[in-house]
Amino acid sequence: MALFVEVAKRKSFSQAATALDMPVSSVSRRITQFEAAVGLRLLDRTTRKIALTPHGEAYLAQATRLVEEAQRSFDDLIAQAKGPSGFLKVAAPTDFWVIQHLSGIVSEFSQQHEHVHIHLDLRASQVDLMRENYDLAITTDEPKEASLIVRKVCEVENGLFAAPAYLLARGRPKHPQDLAGHDVVLPVAATSATWQLSRAGETVSTTVSGRISCNSLSLARRLAVTGRGITTASLINVERDLDSGRLDPVLPDWLLPPTSVYIVTTSRLLPAKARRFIDFVTKRLNTVFSSAARTPELDPAELRERPALVRAARA
């Protein structure tokens, strides 16, 4: 039953064999014997792909639940004896906050759970949890697949930021509509975008554009630091830049829509190692993001001093 579930979920004998650390021939033979025993064909095999028969579709839903419940019971039994254990493969985005904060959270979890080996895989795009054999993914993009289990962990506050030298040369926007006359570093592959900014119940849409775009929030932040224009960023990602004077908030009373952080799994029935990790990370990330308070508008006198401070720091 467990072999059938692995093959059916992955639509591949070879991928199931790799996940189970078994020869492909053994997996194929066991499935054939299983079909012969029940007297029904569960999988249609071709040279290129595997598809479930109607009987296989119906059986998969029941078998998956039974296999996952059995695996969870076994994991709980082991966890009672020596705590959560095993290899935990986690996908996470390449955002700056992941490197800055998630690394510490994972290190703390590892110290408390010595029998769990954690592999963090930083990915710029979403992963196929089942085919690539991940236990879970931390992501800021909500998956569209209905079969995935999505848990919303928290929301990250976003704002606009630019280097003091850029604002000194180009002027400081007073209203969202002023952004149309500024260079914007877009963290998406586009020459223009429409931003929605909100303040005290008021929402304004404005079209922005720039000569530089990229597919990385971290790179967009770096380009803004070097004075290439205004960019969007999560407050938690630019805390150090604000403290050091490398960046200043732009329109600090206005906020962009927040970014949601999700934890994604393929099942609600998770082994102890995954459940403990999800609970731990959820609590810690909420603490981290809630402590990233909004930066108040800076005093004009301090802003005039900022370029000199930046030049001194670079020197």
Side-chain angles (χ1 to χ4, degrees):
M1 185 185 296
L3 290 178
F4 166 75
V5 169
E6 286 293 333
V7 173
K9 281 186 174 182
R10 300 173 189 277
K11 301 292 192 300
S12 168
F13 279 104
S14 60
Q15 289 184 19
T18 300
L20 296 168
D21 194 23
M22 294 176 61
V24 177
S25 58
S26 297
V27 175
S28 178
R29 185 179 66 256
R30 295 274 296 275
I31 295 298
T32 300
Q33 292 171 346
F34 184 49
E35 290 176 318
V38 298
L40 293 171
R41 193 167 186 82
L42 303 176
L43 297 170
D44 282 331
R45 305 159 176 82
T46 68
T47 55
R48 292 187 176 183
K49 65 179 182 178
I50 293 175
L52 288 166
T53 66
H55 294 298
E57 289 278 5
Y59 183 65
L60 178 61
Q62 302 176 52
T64 299
R65 185 181 69 254
L66 292 173
V67 169
E68 289 179 345
E69 287 178 350
Q71 183 62 54
R72 177 169 177 172
S73 297
F74 177 77
D75 289 333
D76 286 344
L77 185 62
I78 297 298
Q80 289 176 17
K82 63 177 184 179
S85 62
F87 186 85
L88 189 67
K89 188 177 179 183
V90 179
T94 57
D95 294 357
F96 180 69
W97 65 263
V98 173
I99 299 172
Q100 184 178 9
H101 295 287
L102 188 60
S103 56
I105 293 173
V106 170
S107 178
E108 186 181 353
F109 178 86
S110 180
Q111 290 176 349
Q112 295 184 18
H113 301 85
E114 59 181 13
H115 297 295
V116 178
H117 179 100
I118 304 172
H119 175 72
L120 272 180
D121 191 357
L122 300 189
R123 302 286 294 268
S125 58
Q126 289 191 9
V127 300
D128 188 326
L129 294 181
M130 179 58 65
R131 288 186 177 274
E132 299 185 62
N133 208 29
Y134 286 90
D135 293 283
L136 59 99
I138 300 171
T139 178
T140 53
D141 297 319
E142 185 174 8
K144 305 302 182 184
E145 295 89 340
S147 61
L148 295 175
I149 309 302
V150 181
R151 300 167 175 82
K152 185 176 178 178
V153 177
C154 55
E155 289 186 338
V156 186
E157 195 171 342
N158 296 316
L160 301 176
F161 305 91
Y166 171 85
L167 295 173
L168 185 65
R170 298 290 299 273
R172 186 175 293 271
K174 304 297 183 184
H175 188 272
Q177 299 296 349
D178 297 339
L179 294 171
H182 281 267
D183 287 328
V184 170
V185 180
L186 294 171
V188 293
T191 57
S192 64
T194 299
W195 287 349
Q196 284 194 334
L197 292 94
S198 300
R199 177 184 67 178
E202 178 186 5
T203 300
V204 174
S205 294
T206 182
T207 299
V208 298
S209 61
R211 291 173 293 169
I212 299 178
S213 64
C214 60
N215 66 342
S216 165
L217 292 172
S218 296
L219 180 57
R221 168 197 148 271
R222 180 60 187 165
L223 288 166
V225 168
T226 59
R228 302 308 305 170
I230 299 171
T231 195
T232 65
S234 299
L235 295 184
I236 196 169
N237 281 346
V238 296
E239 285 177 316
R240 293 183 180 180
D241 297 316
L242 294 171
D243 290 341
S244 65
R246 290 189 295 265
L247 289 177
D248 280 344
V250 176
L251 299 172
D253 291 336
W254 295 82
L255 290 178
L256 292 160
T259 298
S260 296
V261 179
Y262 305 96
I263 289 181
V264 183
T265 60
T266 59
S267 172
R268 296 186 186 278
L269 296 174
L270 300 172
K273 60 184 180 181
R275 297 201 310 274
R276 292 283 184 88
F277 183 81
I278 290 172
D279 291 343
F280 190 88
V281 169
T282 298
K283 291 177 182 178
R284 292 297 189 275
L285 285 182
N286 271 291
T287 299
V288 167
F289 290 134
S290 63
S291 66
R294 288 192 58 201
T295 304
E297 188 167 5
L298 298 173
D299 181 76
E302 182 181 355
L303 289 174
R304 287 195 295 271
E305 295 296 328
R306 276 295 179 86
L309 291 174
V310 173
R311 286 195 298 271
R314 289 175 179 166

